[in-house]
Amino acid sequence: MNALADWKPVAGGMLTRWGKELEPSKVWQEHPRPQFQREKWRNLNGTWSYAVTSADGETPEKWSGEILVPFAPEAALSGVGRLIEPDEALWYLRNFFLDAPPANRLFLHFEAVDYQTTVWINGKEVGAHKGGNTPFSFDITSSVREGDNDLLVKVLDETEAFQLHGKQALEPRGIWYSRVTGIWQTVWLEEVPPRALAGIDLLPDVSAGAIRIKPELSGEESPGERLRVTASIGDVEAGTMEGTGELLLKIEEPKLWTPEHPHLYDLKIELLDAAGEVLDSVQSYAGLREVSKVRDGSGNFRVALNGQPVFLLGTLDQGWWPDGLLTPPSDEAMLSDLIFLKAAGFNTVRKHVKVEPSRYYWHCDRLGIAVWQDQVSSGHGSATKIKGTTPSWTRMAPNPEDGQWPDEAHRQWVIEYKRMVDHLRNHPSILIWSTFNEAWGQHRSMEIGRMAMDYDPTRLLCHASGGNFWPVGHIAAAHNYPDPSFPVRDARFEDYIKAVGEMGGHGWLVAGHTKQAGNPHWGYGGLPESFDHWKARYVRSIEQLARLRGQGISASVYTQTSDVETEINGLLTYDRIPKVEAAWLKEINRKALDVREIPLRSRR
């Protein structure tokens, strides 16, 4: 049986044009980590065997069929279309062939598996991992052999409980979407030298016109070894140096990264032995930029990029797809959202309670789109002190209460937060971290806020966007629908950057491009009477935002990039058809972006 030839999407589901064109032999073939690339790697995406047992079940004796990795079984593009329950285990099996035993070390990489994963090679357990949103790897050198090798994977996924699951729900409704189980990003093999670069930290130093490069090394140290780093922009070399430990690579005539001018420096990082022979080499890149907050002449704090105030105008970007759920149908599809937003005059995305594939952030880096990155959320949040029902920013009222989390669940939350930051910290486009969205899973607020500020002091922190306000972090963000609002005169926010973390959500249904999931379609503030009415509502929200900017607001997020399941408040439909021309949006968005900044307060 030819599994690739037999694959087809689950019938009856909504497909994007990329899903319709998908070839199973070419699914997600791009290198998954643009900032850390070696030449010798092998993609393992494609058709695997799958089976479902009870959670405590043994290795299946029979397999149910084929699944297209990296799509979850709940997604149409997996070819399966089956819900995995919290008391079940999802199993995967595939074979890979090696012409010879590995000459170097061989690593097996998973970019993301939801949620608890155990892996065997040729019947030998090689590792386990807990967490559904960031990469993990195992050294499988001693477990593989020349010829055929069996790769077996078991996944457990409760979806809810204290597990970080973002917008997933066992029963989708309203703002909660379909569950996702198992492998949902690329799986791949990589050949790594005995003494190698295990990772790099890239810290831009704008004042020095340099990039600080801190290597992490693995394997047995080679006497006299050193690092050699070469930077180039285009085809022009911009700096090179050799040394040990942390290096400060000076850039000739440095060009800074901004959304308007997203300059990136290609990096070749080589580990040399005492004789100058190359032990290991990786390709990477970096951007020179600095994020801070500055106070304007009226006393309001503003987001600053490279010392200059910048207004961040973005969309709430859920990153969900009708045919792939959490997994975009292709790299091209994922890129298309960003190209549309850039053309529409947005300079930011708020990546909402989801961690995307690394290539997403690479596209943001090179296109010039700033990222406000959320931690993946959970339930069991804090109580919300609400005075009335409108405006919704009243949830930021004083004297909030924290949610109560068990110690083990809290420790896992922190582990997964730090993994996210470690995974993404080298991307220049990421300017803001957000630990909580609203009060979802909000707990031990001051402890977590201080931890997050200490863990990455080079970026801004929005502790709880639209959630219970505690005096920690750099940004206070209110949520208000449909039009933006913020309690600008509240003295509690005097020392914080003021932001509208969510607003808009004006819904519009495009016939033939919606996905009904058992609930009526909806948008915030009720649905407009006509498309002209929708446009008028959008204009009203942006004009109100422009006024708020004059009162001290420094960032705003419109809900949202695309429709998702029953939500029809996207600028794109769920299958990514534009509802309105990008050029029209860009012209309207200028009303918010072109507001004249108040001069900075004197630093004397």
Side-chain angles (χ1 to χ4, degrees):
M1 182 180 71
N2 187 334
L4 292 176
D6 290 343
W7 171 87
K8 59 183 178 181
V10 176
M14 173 187 281
L15 298 178
T16 62
R17 66 176 177 88
W18 301 276
K20 294 174 183 176
E21 298 167 357
L22 188 142
E23 297 181 40
S25 63
K26 298 180 180 179
V27 61
W28 279 100
Q29 293 298 299
E30 300 85 0
H31 194 289
R33 299 184 189 176
Q35 276 194 316
F36 202 78
Q37 295 189 63
R38 291 185 179 89
E39 291 183 359
K40 294 183 178 181
W41 72 287
R42 178 177 171 185
N43 196 301
L44 294 183
N45 292 338
T47 51
W48 298 35
S49 297
Y50 83 95
V52 179
T53 68
S54 63
D56 58 357
E58 299 296 326
T59 305
E61 295 183 1
K62 295 183 179 180
W63 296 87
S64 301
E66 302 294 328
I67 183 171
L68 185 60
V69 169
F71 299 105
E74 296 89 351
L77 292 180
S78 71
V80 175
R82 186 197 192 285
L83 298 179
I84 307 300
E85 300 298 339
D87 60 354
E88 293 181 321
L90 173 62
W91 295 80
Y92 296 84
L93 177 67
R94 72 152 290 162
N95 176 273
F96 61 91
F97 186 86
L98 296 179
D99 292 326
N104 294 307
R105 291 181 295 162
L106 188 65
F107 279 81
L108 173 63
H109 298 287
F110 295 85
E111 291 302 291
V113 183
D114 195 2
Y115 176 75
Q116 295 188 55
T117 309
T118 308
V119 179
W120 294 263
I121 298 289
N122 298 323
K124 177 182 178 182
E125 183 175 332
V126 295
H129 181 266
K130 184 178 180 180
N133 306 288
T134 52
F136 58 96
S137 305
F138 303 120
D139 186 337
I140 62 172
T141 312
S142 62
S143 301
V144 296
R145 61 199 175 205
E146 182 179 353
D148 288 320
N149 291 268
D150 288 328
L151 167 56
L152 178 69
V153 179
K154 179 183 181 182
V155 182
L156 301 174
D157 183 12
E158 293 185 359
T159 297
E160 296 180 353
F162 284 96
Q163 180 176 310
L164 303 191
H165 55 267
K167 286 294 194 85
Q168 298 181 58
L170 294 174
E171 297 182 8
R173 64 206 178 276
I175 63 170
W176 308 107
Y177 313 144
S178 301
R179 72 188 77 171
V180 171
T181 305
I183 298 170
W184 67 277
Q185 290 187 34
T186 291
V187 185
W188 55 296
L189 296 171
E190 183 182 35
E191 190 174 329
V192 178
R195 179 62 169 168
L197 291 155
I200 47 173
D201 277 348
L202 304 172
L203 183 63
D205 189 331
V206 170
S207 61
I211 302 167
R212 294 187 181 275
I213 300 167
K214 183 178 181 180
E216 178 186 350
L217 302 174
S218 64
E220 186 176 346
E221 183 176 354
S222 172
E225 68 184 18
R226 63 192 186 277
L227 213 62
R228 179 169 65 200
V229 183
T230 305
S232 60
I233 187 164
D235 295 325
V236 179
E237 185 174 305
T240 186
M241 75 172 304
E242 295 185 15
T244 58
E246 182 177 307
L247 303 184
L248 183 65
L249 176 64
K250 290 277 190 176
I251 301 297
E252 298 177 12
E253 300 179 1
K255 297 180 179 180
L256 302 185
W257 187 96
T258 67
E260 296 77 21
H261 303 288
H263 299 297
L264 295 176
Y265 287 90
D266 292 320
L267 300 177
K268 184 177 183 180
I269 304 173
E270 298 169 295
L271 180 63
L272 309 178
D273 65 14
E277 295 296 320
V278 177
L279 299 173
D280 190 22
S281 177
V282 297
Q283 295 290 330
S284 187
Y285 69 87
L288 271 173
R289 62 100 185 94
E290 180 181 64
V291 190
S292 62
K293 66 177 188 177
V294 294
R295 201 184 286 273
D296 67 21
S298 294
N300 296 301
F301 273 111
R302 304 278 185 172
V303 176
L305 188 59
N306 306 322
Q308 297 300 313
V310 58
F311 186 77
L312 301 180
L313 180 64
T315 60
L316 197 70
D317 201 85
Q318 310 276 7
W320 283 74
W321 299 81
D323 42 11
L325 299 180
L326 281 181
T327 311
S330 68
D331 184 71
E332 180 188 1
M334 186 172 67
L335 174 59
S336 73
D337 280 2
L338 297 173
I339 290 174
F340 175 83
L341 293 176
K342 187 74 173 181
F346 295 99
N347 61 12
T348 304
V349 292
R350 180 177 166 208
K351 181 43 62 179
H352 194 38
V353 296
K354 179 191 178 188
V355 178
E356 291 283 2
S358 297
R359 294 183 64 84
Y360 179 92
Y361 303 94
W362 172 60
H363 291 314
C364 290
D365 292 339
R366 66 187 186 84
L367 291 175
I369 299 177
V371 177
W372 174 337
Q373 177 65 49
D374 290 357
Q375 160 74 321
V376 179
S377 60
S378 180
H380 305 277
S382 56
T384 303
K385 299 289 188 179
I386 295 182
K387 300 175 181 177
T389 57
T390 57
S392 58
W393 52 253
T394 53
R395 63 167 52 94
M396 300 172 71
N399 306 315
E401 296 177 7
D402 253 341
Q404 300 301 309
W405 274 46
D407 289 345
E408 180 56 36
H410 168 72
R411 282 193 291 269
Q412 184 65 24
W413 191 102
V414 173
I415 287 169
E416 294 190 44
Y417 179 82
K418 289 182 176 181
R419 284 178 183 160
M420 176 185 73
V421 174
D422 290 343
H423 173 46
L424 300 177
R425 69 165 68 243
N426 289 336
H427 290 282
S429 58
I430 298 178
L431 308 186
I432 299 169
W433 301 116
S434 189
T435 41
F436 297 109
N437 176 71
E438 298 182 356
W440 303 354
Q442 188 175 355
H443 70 284
R444 306 192 192 187
S445 289
M446 293 302 295
E447 176 185 342
I448 284 177
R450 289 167 179 155
M451 175 278 299
M453 291 181 71
D454 289 342
Y455 201 67
D456 184 5
T458 71
R459 288 181 171 90
L460 300 173
L461 176 68
C462 178
H463 177 54
S465 184
N468 289 329
F469 177 78
W470 293 76
V472 68
H474 308 95
I475 298 173
H479 295 179
N480 202 75
Y481 289 103
D483 296 315
S485 181
F486 192 97
V488 291
R489 293 182 177 85
D490 193 319
R492 289 179 302 144
F493 310 130
E494 181 179 349
D495 292 330
Y496 294 84
I497 296 167
K498 303 177 186 69
V500 177
E502 293 179 24
M503 51 82 78
H506 301 298
W508 183 249
L509 186 150
V510 178
H513 295 280
T514 59
K515 180 179 179 180
Q516 186 69 17
N519 295 310
H521 295 107
W522 63 278
Y524 289 96
L527 298 181
E529 300 169 0
S530 66
F531 192 60
D532 285 341
H533 185 203
W534 181 93
K535 284 187 170 182
R537 283 175 53 166
Y538 187 88
V539 170
R540 183 188 70 205
S541 289
I542 296 300
E543 288 177 341
Q544 189 163 326
L545 176 61
R547 290 191 290 272
L548 283 169
R549 182 178 174 185
Q551 298 172 39
I553 296 298
S554 190
S556 181
V557 177
Y558 180 84
T559 301
Q560 57 190 343
T561 301
S562 74
D563 295 349
V564 185
E565 300 196 352
T566 60
E567 291 187 54
I568 54 170
N569 45 32
L571 301 173
L572 304 168
T573 65
Y574 198 15
D575 56 348
R576 286 1 191 228
I577 304 299
K579 297 182 182 180
V580 64
E581 300 86 354
W584 183 87
L585 288 168
K586 185 174 184 177
E587 186 62 30
I588 302 305
N589 288 341
R590 282 182 180 150
K591 295 181 179 181
L593 290 170
D594 288 350
V595 173
R596 184 177 178 181
E597 293 288 356
I598 299 172
L600 298 182
R601 178 173 289 180
S602 172
R603 297 178 184 271
R604 290 181 299 173

